[in-house]
């Protein structure tokens, strides 16, 4: 299948996302793997995930930690986070992802102190933030403190679907504007969406692909929708690993240098989800470094896989697992190939 100007046509996308032709799908995944290996060799980058807090002021209808849910809340102390990063560094992690709900009590100073403490301790690392919507000044201060990357999924590029997934106090435009501002400030940005979320369709996912073309993010994170028992979508069917991996391959082909994770959500719905993601063109894995309190209570969806190779303590076991498929863990910050020394190449 020929593509023009590095992008598939709508007709080609519909065919790839709906076909039952196993030969065509095999070629799609094979080509995505070829592109990934031609740029990143057989390296898989690991990110140490630290789930900072499950308090959140937002009311996203699909999310298990939304402000309305009656769950056991926690927020880690600064020392816990810095100590966790030390453990991760000694295990070989060179990127740490600080992820959390939009906790009103965790202000800029809280994150600035942590960023500086970790950056001062280790000179060869990157810090990624995944802490939601904040104003421009906040993002600017976090960047000056030493944060390198920022993850903010747009969730759905379709206005109708977005409104069905979020309360009225949120807007798709606000998220897109935030991503644009983050890029202006020099962050390596990441965005993405939930595959087969309620009200979504093949056509809305094509809109997601097109938005990613416009944003040109350095990181793209997608995973299947998985319901949470305490949300209005508790009866909705989870997304499939099949469609998720097709989309990973498409996004890899259209965005050759992107850092694309094989997500925990994908591994939670499919026993072989992690390796299927990698064999579809993903090149990042995010083991969970979080203390037990966080691991047990940071549940965006039900049945989150959090054992075995999900644990950061199993890095050597994970590397051995990847070796069977011709890949290896890279002990490096794992920058996008369009990024050098943590700075985006213009």
């Amino acid at each position: 299948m020929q593509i023009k100007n590095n992008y598939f046509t709508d007709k080609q996308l519909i065919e790839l996302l709906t076909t039952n032709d196993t030969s065509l799908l095999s070629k799609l995944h094979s080509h995505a793997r070829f592109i990934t290996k031609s740029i990143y060799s057989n390296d898989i980058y690991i990110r140490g995930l630290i789930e900072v807090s499950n308090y959140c002021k937002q009311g996203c209808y699909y999310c298990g930690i939304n402000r309305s849910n009656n769950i056991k809340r926690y927020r880690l102390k600064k020392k816990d986070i810095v100590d966790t990063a030390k453990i991760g560094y000694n295990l070989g992690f060179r990127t740490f992802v600080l992820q959390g709900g939009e906790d009103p009590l965790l202000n800029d100073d809280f994150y600035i102190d942590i960023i500086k403490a970790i950056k001062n301790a280790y000179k060869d690392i990157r810090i990624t933030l995944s802490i939601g919507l904040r104003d421009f000044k906040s993002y600017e201060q976090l960047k000056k403190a030493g944060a390198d990357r920022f993850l903010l999924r747009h969730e759905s590029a379709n206005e109708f679907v977005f409104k069905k997934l979020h309360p009225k106090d949120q807007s798709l435009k606000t998220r897109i504007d935030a991503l644009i501002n983050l890029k202006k400030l020099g962050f390596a940005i990441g965005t993405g969406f939930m595959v087969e979320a309620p009200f979504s369709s093949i056509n809305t996912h094509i809109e997601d692909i097109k938005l990613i073309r416009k944003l040109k993010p350095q990181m793209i994170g997608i995973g299947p929708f998985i319901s949470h028992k305490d949300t209005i979508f508790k009866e909705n069917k989870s997304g499939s690993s099949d469609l998720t991996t097709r989309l990973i391959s498409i996004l890899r082909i259209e965005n050759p240098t992107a850092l694309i994770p094989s997500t925990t959500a994908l591994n939670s719905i499919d026993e072989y989800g992690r390796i299927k993601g990698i064999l579809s063109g993903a090149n990042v894995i995010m083991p969970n470094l979080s203390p037990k309190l966080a691991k047990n209570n940071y549940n965006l969806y039900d049945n989150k896989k959090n054992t075995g190779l999900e644990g950061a303590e199993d890095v050597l076991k994970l590397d051995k697992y990847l070796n069977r498929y011709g890949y290896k863990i890279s002990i490096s910050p794992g920058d996008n190939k369009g990024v050098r020394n943590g700075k985006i190449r213009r």
Side-chain angles (χ1 to χ4, degrees), residues 64-124:
I65 67 168
N66 75 55
R67 64 194 177 207
S68 301
N69 280 359
N70 183 24
I71 60 174
K72 183 177 180 180
R73 302 284 179 175
Y74 75 90
R75 57 175 64 90
L76 299 181
K77 296 178 181 178
K78 294 177 185 179
K79 184 179 184 301
D80 295 330
I81 297 167
V82 175
D83 287 349
T84 299
K86 181 179 180 180
I87 293 169
Y89 188 87
N90 291 334
L91 285 168
F93 289 84
R94 295 298 180 266
T95 286
F96 300 102
V97 181
L98 305 184
Q99 181 178 23
E102 294 185 27
D103 188 335
L105 295 190
L106 301 189
N107 58 20
D108 292 341
D109 289 341
F110 175 87
Y111 284 108
I112 287 169
D113 287 349
I114 292 168
I115 292 165
K116 287 183 175 180
I118 298 173
K119 277 294 189 80
N120 288 337
Y122 315 108
K123 305 302 181 184
D124 58 340

Side-chain angles (χ1 to χ4, degrees), residues 1-57:
M1 181 180 288
Q2 297 295 318
I3 62 174
K4 186 177 180 180
N5 299 324
N6 297 320
Y7 296 137
F8 293 102
T9 64
D10 286 8
K11 183 178 179 181
Q12 288 172 325
L13 288 173
I14 290 171
E15 181 181 6
L16 290 171
L17 294 173
T18 60
T19 186
N20 292 318
D21 185 341
T22 56
S23 175
L24 177 59
L25 292 176
S26 178
K27 290 177 182 177
L28 172 70
H29 297 316
S30 177
H31 187 47
R33 286 197 304 276
F34 171 79
I35 289 174
T36 310
K37 286 196 170 188
S38 69
I39 297 171
Y40 291 103
S41 187
N42 63 341
D43 289 339
I44 299 298
Y45 299 124
I46 53 173
R47 310 324 197 182
L49 181 64
I50 306 176
E51 295 161 329
V52 176
S53 169
N54 69 351
Y55 283 90
C56 191
K57 66 182 182 182

Side-chain angles (χ1 to χ4, degrees), residues 49-305:
L49 181 64
I50 306 176
E51 295 161 329
V52 176
S53 169
N54 69 351
Y55 283 90
C56 191
K57 66 182 182 182
Q58 300 289 6
C60 305
Y61 297 139
Y62 54 85
C63 184
I65 67 168
N66 75 55
R67 64 194 177 207
S68 301
N69 280 359
N70 183 24
I71 60 174
K72 183 177 180 180
R73 302 284 179 175
Y74 75 90
R75 57 175 64 90
L76 299 181
K77 296 178 181 178
K78 294 177 185 179
K79 184 179 184 301
D80 295 330
I81 297 167
V82 175
D83 287 349
T84 299
K86 181 179 180 180
I87 293 169
Y89 188 87
N90 291 334
L91 285 168
F93 289 84
R94 295 298 180 266
T95 286
F96 300 102
V97 181
L98 305 184
Q99 181 178 23
E102 294 185 27
D103 188 335
L105 295 190
L106 301 189
N107 58 20
D108 292 341
D109 289 341
F110 175 87
Y111 284 108
I112 287 169
D113 287 349
I114 292 168
I115 292 165
K116 287 183 175 180
I118 298 173
K119 277 294 189 80
N120 288 337
Y122 315 108
K123 305 302 181 184
D124 58 340
I125 60 106
R126 306 283 182 264
I127 291 181
T128 301
L129 300 177
S130 180
I131 53 177
L133 292 166
R134 304 172 85 89
D135 61 34
F136 186 90
K137 184 178 180 181
S138 174
Y139 290 145
E140 185 176 36
Q141 290 178 326
L142 295 170
K143 186 71 179 72
K144 286 180 179 178
D148 303 286
R149 307 168 182 152
F150 204 104
L151 304 176
L152 182 67
R153 297 203 309 184
H154 64 267
E155 302 299 6
S156 176
N158 179 273
E159 193 76 44
F160 173 79
V161 176
F162 187 91
K163 288 180 178 178
K164 287 291 186 179
L165 298 177
H166 302 87
K168 292 180 180 179
D169 56 2
Q170 292 194 51
S171 75
L172 176 58
K173 182 180 183 302
T174 300
R175 283 186 178 250
I176 294 173
D177 287 347
L179 285 162
I180 292 170
N181 285 334
L182 287 161
K183 203 167 190 180
K184 285 179 180 177
L185 288 167
F187 281 98
I189 65 165
T191 192
F193 55 93
M194 290 183 293
V195 178
E196 295 182 278
F199 302 97
S200 65
S201 66
I202 295 300
N203 287 332
T204 65
H205 288 325
I206 291 174
E207 291 183 58
D208 291 317
I209 293 168
K210 289 179 176 179
L211 176 58
I212 288 170
R213 290 174 187 171
K214 292 179 181 179
L215 291 172
K216 294 181 172 57
Q218 289 77 30
M219 303 170 286
I220 303 170
I222 69 168
F225 165 79
I226 305 176
S227 65
H228 189 284
K229 66 182 185 306
D230 296 325
T231 70
I232 62 172
F233 298 124
K234 61 185 177 182
E235 302 296 335
N236 284 70
K237 183 181 177 182
S238 294
S240 69
S241 61
D242 174 51
L243 186 58
T244 302
T245 53
R246 294 186 195 204
L247 284 161
I248 288 174
S249 290
I250 288 167
L251 290 166
R252 166 60 66 201
I253 293 166
E254 290 201 353
N255 305 272
T257 66
L259 297 162
I260 302 177
S262 185
T263 63
T264 300
L266 179 57
N267 208 41
S268 294
I269 64 161
D270 188 323
E271 181 182 1
Y272 302 102
R274 165 170 284 152
I275 197 62
K276 284 182 180 180
I278 290 170
L279 295 176
S280 300
N283 64 332
V284 172
I285 292 176
M286 297 172 66
N288 198 338
L289 273 172
S290 303
K292 188 174 181 180
L293 171 68
K295 283 183 181 179
N296 290 342
N297 293 289
Y298 196 88
N299 295 314
L300 306 182
Y301 50 84
D302 286 335
N303 302 313
K304 175 182 173 184
K305 192 164 187 178

